[in-house]
Amino acid sequence: MNKQAVRIIQFVINSILTFVSFASAILVFLLLIPLAITALISFLVHNWSFFWNFLVIVAILTGVAFFIETLSFKLPEMFGKFFEEEKEDEKIYQEYENWFNEWYQKEYEKYQQKWQEQQNQQGYSTHYSAEDIIEKFEENLKVLGLDSSGELTLQTIKKAHRAKAKEFHPDKNSGKDTTADMQRVNAAKEYLDANLEYYLSKISKN
């Protein structure tokens, strides 16, 4: 008998047990009212024998309902042990864990690559020394006409960039291609904005 056929049998048995358990629970609930009436009558006639017999029946039905309910919950576990599904679950979990670790490693590598690219763009790459960054920063200051000894803020950089942009604007340079100049000015501003804090921290230490 294959696993699928056994699972069908399990489903049928489980359905029957669930129905019987449900029916027993309803029957016990319905018998509570007659039990209360029986207790009252027994109290009035001073004869408790019928009440105790009735109570035993209710207790047996309650026990049967509880047993069947427990069995219906335990049945899948019993069949699982029969098919050694615990080992299958461990295998599935191990495969998932391997997949997750592989996925996490790839995501981490992508993050590292993206972070390195950002650092390279901002000039913080480990390929550049502090001296290289400072030198390049001061070269870009000259592109915008700024002096390293003067006030250096994002606002002064923005103001200098705007002045240079006006200087190389096509309207003021008719007949002359200033595209390369504008690209150099824009690149200088971008570099200065990205590295201003780093530059000031290094200069202040010196």
Side-chain angles (χ1 to χ4, degrees):
M1 186 177 295
N2 58 30
K3 185 175 180 179
Q4 186 176 2
V6 174
R7 282 303 185 192
I8 293 174
I9 295 173
Q10 176 196 341
F11 174 76
V12 173
I13 295 174
N14 206 63
S15 299
I16 294 172
L17 290 175
T18 302
F19 174 77
V20 173
S21 175
F22 181 72
S24 300
I26 292 177
L27 183 60
V28 170
F29 179 77
L30 293 176
L31 289 176
L32 290 178
I33 297 175
L35 181 64
I37 296 173
T38 303
L40 180 61
I41 295 173
S42 298
F43 176 76
L44 294 175
V45 300
H46 301 288
N47 186 355
W48 293 91
S49 59
F50 182 73
F51 169 77
W52 291 118
N53 292 333
F54 197 78
L55 183 62
V56 169
I57 294 173
V58 173
I60 292 173
L61 287 174
T62 303
V64 170
F66 179 77
F67 173 77
I68 294 175
E69 183 71 17
T70 304
L71 185 61
S72 65
F73 279 107
K74 288 289 183 180
L75 195 63
E77 183 180 342
M78 293 164 59
F79 276 89
K81 288 183 178 180
F82 177 77
F83 287 114
E84 297 184 342
E85 289 182 342
E86 186 174 348
K87 293 181 179 179
E88 292 183 11
D89 291 341
E90 289 179 359
K91 182 180 178 182
I92 293 172
Y93 176 78
Q94 188 62 46
E95 290 176 353
Y96 168 77
E97 190 174 24
N98 293 338
W99 169 84
F100 178 80
N101 290 335
E102 184 178 348
W103 170 83
Y104 180 82
Q105 184 64 29
K106 288 181 179 178
E107 290 297 313
Y108 180 75
E109 289 174 358
K110 288 194 317 191
Y111 168 79
Q112 284 287 82
Q113 183 179 0
K114 186 176 180 181
W115 179 83
Q116 189 64 51
E117 289 174 356
Q118 291 176 344
Q119 295 295 79
N120 290 340
Q121 291 175 359
Q122 296 176 359
Y124 290 112
S125 171
T126 54
H127 296 294
Y128 299 97
S129 65
E131 290 77 11
D132 292 334
I133 296 172
I134 292 173
E135 182 180 352
K136 187 174 180 181
F137 189 90
E138 292 178 347
E139 287 176 0
N140 282 285
L141 285 175
K142 293 177 182 178
V143 173
L144 295 187
L146 291 170
D147 190 346
S148 59
S149 61
E151 182 184 8
L152 294 177
T153 64
L154 291 175
Q155 284 301 113
T156 57
I157 293 172
K158 182 179 180 180
K159 186 177 180 180
H161 173 263
R162 187 176 298 172
K164 283 293 181 180
K166 288 181 179 179
E167 180 182 338
F168 294 116
H169 196 277
D171 292 344
K172 293 187 177 182
N173 295 273
S174 57
K176 182 181 178 181
D177 186 5
T178 57
T179 303
D181 294 318
M182 280 301 302
Q183 289 176 345
R184 189 171 72 256
V185 167
N186 290 335
K189 180 184 183 300
E190 184 178 355
Y191 187 88
L192 294 175
D193 286 344
N195 294 280
L196 176 62
E197 186 176 349
Y198 180 80
Y199 175 80
L200 293 177
S201 66
K202 290 296 181 181
I203 294 300
S204 63
K205 290 180 181 179
N206 296 334

